[in-house]
């Protein structure tokens, strides 16, 4: 395995890799297929900004942002927020700065598009990386799932 990797913008052909990175715990194939179809539509509409890391001709990491039409809020007139999603690095490629570089690229592209507010869900393992990027805990959210 070489130590070099490169970063490029995602395209619709990356949907299967992105879905595999999102559902890496052995979820049913139908979940992966549904997510891949959804992310293709988001990429094509420009409401998913993402990057992949490649090494040896393979995608070894990914990160993206779903752009949310949030509406203007106090102190934030743009009305668009970015939800950081699908941050994943293949096991043999971890601890090389890939995930941090990808998230940084995603946030940079979002910032260039005028987006100033970012949110995400962080695992305990990934939280230190996100804190290093400037994220702080935000515990005022709740969720309800019906049906």
């Amino acid at each position: 395995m070489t130590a070099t990797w490169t970063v490029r913008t995602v395209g619709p052909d990356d949907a299967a890799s992105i879905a595999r990175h999102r559902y890496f715990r052995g979820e049913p194939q139908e979940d992966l297929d549904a997510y891949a179809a959804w992310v293709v539509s988001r990429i094509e509409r420009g409401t998913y900004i993402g990057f992949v890391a490649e090494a040896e001709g393979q995608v070894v990491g990914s990160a993206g942002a779903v752009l949310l039409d949030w509406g203007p809020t106090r102190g934030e007139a743009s009305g668009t927020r970015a939800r950081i999603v699908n941050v994943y690095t293949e096991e043999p490629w971890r601890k090389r700065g890939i995930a941090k570089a990808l998230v940084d690229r995603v946030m940079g592209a979002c910032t260039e598009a005028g987006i100033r507010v970012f949110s995400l869900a962080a695992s305990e393992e990934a939280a230190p990386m996100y804190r290093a990027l400037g994220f702080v805990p935000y515990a005022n959210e709740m969720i309800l799932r019906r049906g």
Side-chain angles (χ1 to χ4, degrees):
M1 173 178 359
T2 65
T4 61
W5 46 274
T6 58
V7 175
R8 67 169 172 78
T9 303
V10 299
D13 290 344
D14 294 308
S17 293
I18 293 167
R20 187 171 41 82
H21 288 168
R22 180 173 183 86
Y23 296 105
F24 60 90
R25 293 185 177 103
E27 289 86 351
Q29 186 62 43
E30 63 195 45
D31 289 352
L32 278 79
D33 293 343
Y35 193 80
W38 177 84
V39 84
V40 164
S41 71
R42 288 293 193 136
I43 291 168
E44 289 173 344
R45 287 189 314 204
T47 56
Y48 184 92
I49 294 174
F51 294 88
V52 295
E54 289 183 316
E56 301 175 351
Q58 300 293 317
V59 172
V60 298
S62 64
V66 176
L67 305 186
L68 305 172
D69 184 9
W70 202 261
T73 60
R74 292 175 190 91
E76 181 204 341
S78 79
T80 303
R81 291 186 177 193
R83 178 82 175 173
I84 305 295
V85 294
N86 308 326
V87 179
Y88 187 83
T89 305
E90 300 284 345
E91 187 72 42
W93 292 91
R94 293 183 181 168
K95 306 296 183 196
R96 297 173 190 233
I98 293 173
K100 188 173 187 286
L102 290 169
V103 172
D104 193 48
R105 288 283 294 268
V106 168
M107 291 186 349
C110 289
T111 299
E112 285 180 20
I115 298 163
R116 301 288 182 262
V117 178
F118 301 87
S119 65
L120 54 80
S123 67
E124 190 173 314
E125 178 185 9
M129 177 190 74
Y130 294 122
R131 281 194 293 275
L133 289 167
F135 284 86
V136 296
Y138 182 74
N140 295 330
E141 291 191 12
M142 299 172 74
I143 190 169
L144 169 67
R145 296 180 193 263
R146 291 195 170 174

